[in-house]
Amino acid sequence: MNNIVIGVIGILGIVIAYLIGRWLNNKFPSPFTIPILIATVVLVSILLLFGITYETFMIGGKWVNELLGPSVVALAYPLYLQRKLLKKYFLPIFSGVFIGALIGVVSGLLLAKWMNVDEFIVYSLVPKSVTTPVAMNIAESLGGVPPLAAVFVMIAGIGGAVLGPIVFRIFRIHKSVAKGVGLGSASHAIGTSTAMEHSQQAGAVSTVAMVLSAIIVSILTPILVGGLY
Amino acid sequence: MIRILVVIIHIAFLYIIFRIGTWIQEALHLFVPGSVIGLLLLFLLLLTGIVKVNWIKEGTEQLIKHLPLVFIPVTVGIMDYFSLFHGKGILLVIIVLLSTILVKLSSGFTSQYLMKGREREHE
């Protein structure tokens, strides 16, 4: 088989796995059935079952990968749509996201350092709170491993969405703006879809928090890694 | 058919902004990813009205709607790193969860504290 055929099969496989994930998530909505998790499990199982290497899979995958950069740039649009909300609650949103970003990176760094893990794991773990494409880019520019970063992002997203209501109840975080900031800062898109279930305002704030957090974490991380690690 | 073409043109436009972001990153030796510089650049161009919403709307909406599709190829790469999660590696999951709770708590708490004195919200 030549590379074009392998590539086309790869791309088709990615699209089909994604559609299976969406279908399952529509049927059983839960943080554990998010399309990215389902699609990853489906594809990894197939590759392992047939003994296909990741390298072969990426012959097609690298074409889809090219869309990663533009999709990060695209996040400017939801931020722009919510500019009035951002302006109205600028101080509570910006400060909340900033503190969250700072604590997220520092706690990740210190805990990983305390555990004495390899450097490339630390660099992959630190950007876990931000949306996957940005986390992968941050990890890459620090010397981490993008797939590993994506897994930590998934754990932060699913964990944060599941544990969110308990954390909010214990610490009496009840205002919808605050919930939106918390979910968007800690659990990116998965948190945002949970926030939408609380209220429309929480969802909109969470979207703003998610994009702001991506920007702030990508600026803070290189500085903090240089200073603390 | 025209709609698909519009989406492709819009994504091509986003791609150009991404390349400009990457170029700025390399020229200034920044650690901030070029994609994030592109994000900030597009946000400023939209705010100042230099770029009109209808230059990017359809393509952007489609890309964001199907965002997970775009990073599936990278997440599949985890198949080469399974061994990391054996034994002590499970602690990594606990670290991520712990740090996530701290982020949620500190960010939500800060923002709620600063909301005090502001008008009552409709929950």
Side-chain angles (χ1 to χ4, degrees):
Chain A
M1 264 199 294
N2 63 43
N3 278 357
I4 294 173
V5 177
I6 296 173
V8 171
I9 294 172
I11 293 171
L12 275 177
I14 291 166
V15 173
I16 293 168
Y18 170 68
L19 291 176
I20 293 173
R22 273 182 67 112
W23 171 80
L24 207 68
N25 190 242
N26 280 333
K27 219 160 166 95
F28 310 100
S30 143
F32 292 101
T33 60
I34 47 166
I36 182 67
L37 180 61
I38 303 298
T40 306
V41 171
V42 168
L43 287 170
V44 169
S45 313
I46 291 173
L47 295 182
L48 291 178
L49 194 68
F50 291 98
I52 304 164
T53 62
Y54 181 60
E55 246 183 317
T56 310
F57 167 75
M58 280 309 274
I59 292 171
K62 69 168 191 268
W63 292 101
V64 178
N65 221 3
E66 279 295 307
L67 286 169
L68 214 58
S71 63
V72 173
V73 176
L75 294 173
Y77 181 60
L79 189 63
Y80 174 75
L81 288 182
Q82 300 296 343
R83 64 197 181 281
K84 289 196 178 107
L85 185 81
L86 176 62
K87 208 175 155 193
K88 188 174 174 196
Y89 297 109
F90 185 78
L91 197 66
I93 294 179
F94 186 85
S95 315
V97 172
F98 186 85
I99 297 287
L102 192 67
I103 290 188
V105 174
V106 171
S107 64
L109 267 178
L110 293 182
L111 285 168
K113 200 176 175 181
W114 164 75
M115 212 188 116
N116 216 358
V117 293
D118 289 333
E119 242 172 74
F120 75 93
I121 300 178
V122 179
Y123 297 150
S124 312
L125 183 141
V126 168
K128 71 200 176 317
S129 309
V130 306
T131 184
T132 313
V134 178
M136 295 191 304
N137 283 343
I138 296 175
E140 200 171 18
S141 70
L142 291 172
V145 180
L148 204 49
V151 168
F152 291 130
V153 170
M154 260 194 256
I155 297 171
I158 297 168
V162 172
L163 297 170
I166 309 163
V167 173
F168 288 151
R169 213 173 305 137
I170 295 174
F171 296 94
R172 297 194 183 158
I173 294 167
H174 52 79
K175 284 189 188 289
S176 66
V177 169
K179 280 183 179 171
V181 167
L183 283 163
S185 303
S187 305
H188 45 94
I190 305 174
T192 299
S193 62
T194 326
M196 303 247 178
E197 290 165 18
H198 285 295
S199 70
Q200 216 185 348
Q201 194 188 34
V205 172
S206 183
T207 306
V208 171
M210 172 182 106
V211 180
L212 271 186
S213 171
I215 298 167
I216 296 172
V217 169
S218 62
I219 296 170
L220 277 183
T221 311
I223 301 171
L224 290 170
V225 166
L228 288 171
Y229 202 74
Chain B
M1 193 60 208
I2 287 177
R3 217 178 135 249
I4 295 174
L5 203 67
V6 168
V7 168
I8 291 172
I9 293 170
H10 286 179
I11 293 176
F13 184 74
L14 294 173
Y15 193 81
I16 293 170
I17 296 187
F18 162 62
R19 298 304 308 180
I20 295 173
T22 311
W23 178 77
I24 294 175
Q25 180 201 9
E26 281 162 6
L28 300 177
H29 303 287
L30 298 173
F31 263 112
V32 180
S35 57
V36 176
I37 296 171
L39 191 176
L40 282 168
L41 188 64
L42 180 60
F43 184 59
L44 288 176
L45 290 172
L46 285 168
L47 277 184
T48 50
I50 296 170
V51 167
K52 303 277 178 282
V53 166
N54 59 17
W55 293 9
I56 56 153
K57 190 169 180 283
E58 279 79 17
T60 307
E61 283 172 352
Q62 287 307 313
L63 208 51
I64 289 178
K65 189 176 166 203
H66 300 294
L67 196 57
L69 177 68
V70 174
F71 45 78
I72 288 172
V74 182
T75 57
V76 170
I78 196 62
M79 63 189 277
D80 291 340
Y81 293 93
F82 279 146
S83 58
L84 283 180
F85 293 94
H86 287 316
K88 205 176 91 165
I90 279 298
L91 269 175
L92 290 170
V93 177
I94 295 168
I95 288 179
V96 170
L97 288 177
L98 203 64
S99 172
T100 300
I101 292 173
L102 288 175
V103 174
K104 181 158 286 186
L105 180 65
S106 58
S107 58
F109 194 82
T110 307
S111 119
Q112 180 155 294
Y113 181 78
L114 293 168
M115 286 286 290
K116 272 189 186 149
R118 283 175 184 251
E119 75 264 50
R120 276 202 175 267
E121 282 179 77
H122 307 284
E123 293 285 327

